[in-house]
Amino acid sequence: MDFVSLQKDFYTMDKENRELWNVINAAIKSKIDIGQVTSLNDLYMEKKKNLHLSNRQILHILGMDSNTLNPILKGTAKHIGFINIIKLAHFLGISVNDLLKIYIPEMDAKQIGEIQRARDAGYIVETFDVATLTKIKFFSSDSSSKDMGEEIKKFFSLNSLYDYSNNKDLTPAFSRSKRSSSDLMRNFWIQSAYVQFKGINNPNPYNRKDLVEIMPKIRPYTRDVKKGLIKVLKALYHVGVTVIYQPSLEKIQVRGATMVINNKPCIVLSNLQNNYPTLWFTLLHELHHVLYDLDDIRLQTYHISNDEGDLFLMNEERADNFAREYLLNESRLKFVSGYITSHLHVEKLASEWGVHASIIYAVYCYKTNEWALYNKYIPKMTEALELLNTHPFERESLMESVQDIKELIYNI
């Protein structure tokens, strides 16, 4: 809390605290207009003139010597004790807060730079989970606040460090004053995705009708582990739906997310559970939100899907059921369950139904929790992500990741 805030609460204090505040802060009802004050020295000289006192008398009154007072008045003091600030504020009849407002612009560039670095440091530790970002090597262990500020600006392509919090498109979701470490990391993850989508800047208008026409054609591409997902993402891109991959980060458990940028849906796939069927499940889950919840997402700025539920209490069960039913409907699941112990039969049915066999196993295991028996038939995401994973959090700038996505995925 700053001095201005304290002043507002002055009359609500009990007597003991009010007396203490009177000791610390001068002139609760000061009539001085600091907007008309050109310098601290001018204010001092005016006070001296009105009181008809000599410098020597004032020094005695303040209990200060000239070697202490003169540098403060000239703005050249390297260090100012807080007690001296309070003494001078009382003598001049202004609040400590106002005294600092007058004094700081008179300081030399080096001192102002030190104050700015302190301000930046405070902003960084309040806005970023420095410990976690250092652990994942986003920050170096020996980074100063200046180093961190430069790294943040370069990574997000910011003109100012404080622009990170001034993103008008994400303001509603970032408005909480007190945030946990997981909140800070989630914000970092969302901001990272946002920057990439803005950089990609899909020129194609979103057309819901065209998306509906594409939906029935997606499933067979699951059978092509290496290139199937990329082909589907290109088709979605042409109907105005942009999809990227971004790994989850420590302290957040993210499967995927949907955002609306430039009035177009954008989907983030992540690596929660790290298996191939989850990539497709997440894509279908988020496409359900695009088809049926886009207006709500537009108002809320973004939607995150994770194992703990949606941040905005959106209907996740409906989206989950949509994805499972699309990939392997209930009647087919019931039928294949009788042959699940025969990998040959499962592969044959997968071919007939136009779906990758691992998706059959994954849906079955989700229902029965028999993962240990069939995990060997469920590949990791690695091969499917060979092109899609641009390793954004290992880059100096997210624009490097954007460039790779544009060239390798969308051929632009």
Side-chain angles (χ1 to χ4, degrees):
M1 181 179 290
D2 60 21
F3 284 100
V4 173
S5 300
L6 283 171
Q7 281 183 252
K8 290 179 181 177
D9 295 334
F10 174 74
Y11 291 104
T12 64
M13 295 179 183
D14 57 35
K15 183 177 179 180
E16 182 178 353
N17 283 331
R18 191 182 297 182
E19 287 302 317
L20 177 59
W21 175 241
N22 276 325
V23 170
I24 295 173
N25 201 24
I28 296 297
K29 296 182 179 179
S30 173
K31 296 181 180 180
I32 296 174
D33 181 3
I34 66 166
Q36 301 299 316
V37 177
T38 57
S39 71
L40 198 59
N41 189 60
D42 286 349
L43 187 60
Y44 171 84
M45 295 303 292
E46 183 69 21
K47 190 76 172 180
K48 174 186 170 184
K49 178 182 177 181
N50 291 339
L51 295 174
H52 304 288
L53 295 173
S54 67
N55 286 330
R56 184 176 180 181
Q57 288 173 308
I58 294 172
L59 289 172
H60 279 299
I61 291 170
L62 292 175
M64 297 168 66
D65 58 45
S66 59
N67 290 332
T68 300
L69 178 60
N70 289 342
I72 296 175
L73 296 178
K74 294 177 182 178
T76 59
K78 293 183 178 179
H79 302 286
I80 308 176
F82 192 63
I83 292 175
N84 289 330
I85 291 176
I86 296 173
K87 287 180 180 180
L88 192 55
H90 274 288
F91 173 74
L92 296 173
I94 61 176
S95 70
V96 173
N97 198 55
D98 283 348
L99 186 148
L100 292 173
K101 287 179 181 177
I102 299 168
Y103 178 77
I104 288 175
E106 298 179 358
M107 299 171 68
D108 62 39
K110 183 178 180 182
Q111 289 174 308
I112 292 175
E114 289 177 2
I115 293 173
Q116 182 62 50
R117 282 192 289 276
R119 180 189 178 217
D120 291 349
Y123 175 79
I124 289 169
V125 298
E126 285 295 321
T127 312
F128 298 89
D129 185 346
V130 173
T132 300
L133 290 174
T134 301
K135 187 175 180 180
I136 66 172
K137 298 183 179 179
F138 179 81
F139 294 136
S140 301
S141 58
D142 58 351
S143 289
S144 64
S145 61
K146 182 179 180 181
D147 295 332
M148 291 179 184
E150 291 301 319
E151 288 165 6
I152 291 166
K153 287 194 295 181
K154 186 170 185 178
F155 186 71
F156 290 103
S157 299
L158 303 173
N159 293 321
S160 163
L161 173 64
Y162 300 90
D163 286 344
Y164 180 85
S165 299
N166 295 331
N167 188 333
K168 293 180 180 179
D169 291 338
L170 298 177
T171 298
F174 286 78
S175 60
R176 290 174 56 185
S177 58
K178 292 185 178 180
R179 299 175 228 161
S180 65
S181 294
S182 59
D183 289 331
L184 297 179
M185 291 305 295
R186 182 175 61 247
N187 291 353
F188 183 89
W189 191 87
I190 284 292
Q191 289 270 28
S192 298
Y194 175 88
V195 169
Q196 292 179 80
F197 286 128
K198 290 290 283 188
I200 294 168
N201 191 25
N202 189 339
N204 301 299
Y206 169 58
N207 189 312
R208 187 180 188 276
K209 182 180 177 182
D210 288 346
L211 176 59
V212 170
E213 290 180 0
I214 285 176
M215 294 297 295
K217 305 172 185 177
I218 291 177
R219 188 188 303 108
Y221 288 93
T222 66
R223 292 185 57 77
D224 184 352
V225 174
K226 191 174 183 65
K227 298 180 180 179
L229 183 61
I230 299 296
K231 292 176 181 177
V232 170
L233 300 194
K234 287 181 177 180
L236 292 173
Y237 182 82
H238 286 292
V239 298
V241 181
T242 309
V243 184
I244 66 170
Y245 167 81
Q246 185 171 270
S248 187
L249 292 170
E250 189 169 329
K251 296 190 178 179
I252 58 172
Q253 297 292 309
V254 183
R255 275 190 306 178
T258 299
M259 310 171 72
V260 179
I261 299 174
N262 296 334
N263 209 32
K264 301 171 190 177
C266 299
I267 293 173
V268 191
L269 305 178
S270 197
N271 59 341
L272 193 63
Q273 299 176 354
N274 192 26
N275 65 53
Y276 178 66
T278 299
L279 274 176
W280 290 99
F281 180 87
T282 301
L283 177 62
L284 271 298
H285 176 107
E286 300 303 331
L287 284 173
H288 176 275
H289 286 310
V290 170
L291 288 169
Y292 301 106
D293 301 312
L294 202 60
D295 288 339
D296 288 337
I297 294 172
R298 186 180 286 108
L299 291 174
Q300 296 163 350
T301 71
Y302 69 85
H303 151 82
I304 280 187
S305 301
N306 57 33
D307 283 350
E308 298 173 356
D310 171 49
L311 183 67
F312 296 111
L313 304 180
M314 200 168 288
N315 195 326
E316 293 296 84
E317 184 177 356
R318 187 179 64 184
D320 284 347
N321 290 339
F322 173 86
R324 276 192 297 271
E325 187 70 13
Y326 179 91
L327 292 170
L328 188 70
N329 63 42
E330 196 65 32
S331 62
R332 286 180 173 179
L333 174 62
K334 186 176 181 180
F335 182 81
V336 77
S337 295
Y339 300 94
I340 201 71
T341 57
S342 171
H343 183 59
L344 187 63
H345 275 85
V346 172
E347 285 281 9
K348 184 174 182 295
L349 289 171
S351 178
E352 290 177 6
W353 295 338
V355 67
H356 195 272
S358 66
I359 291 175
I360 294 177
Y361 285 116
V363 175
Y364 175 82
C365 290
Y366 175 82
K367 294 282 189 177
T368 63
N369 201 29
E370 295 180 4
W371 296 97
L373 294 175
Y374 302 106
N375 258 335
K376 60 185 177 181
Y377 300 122
I378 303 175
K380 300 298 183 185
M381 298 179 178
T382 311
E383 188 174 2
L385 294 176
E386 190 172 334
L387 285 179
L388 195 59
N389 185 5
T390 58
H391 305 280
F393 300 124
E394 298 173 21
R395 305 297 187 97
E396 288 188 358
S397 169
L398 285 169
M399 296 313 294
E400 297 174 11
S401 178
V402 167
Q403 193 58 38
D404 282 351
I405 293 170
K406 291 171 74 172
E407 291 179 0
L408 300 175
I409 310 303
Y410 298 123
N411 304 122
I412 52 176

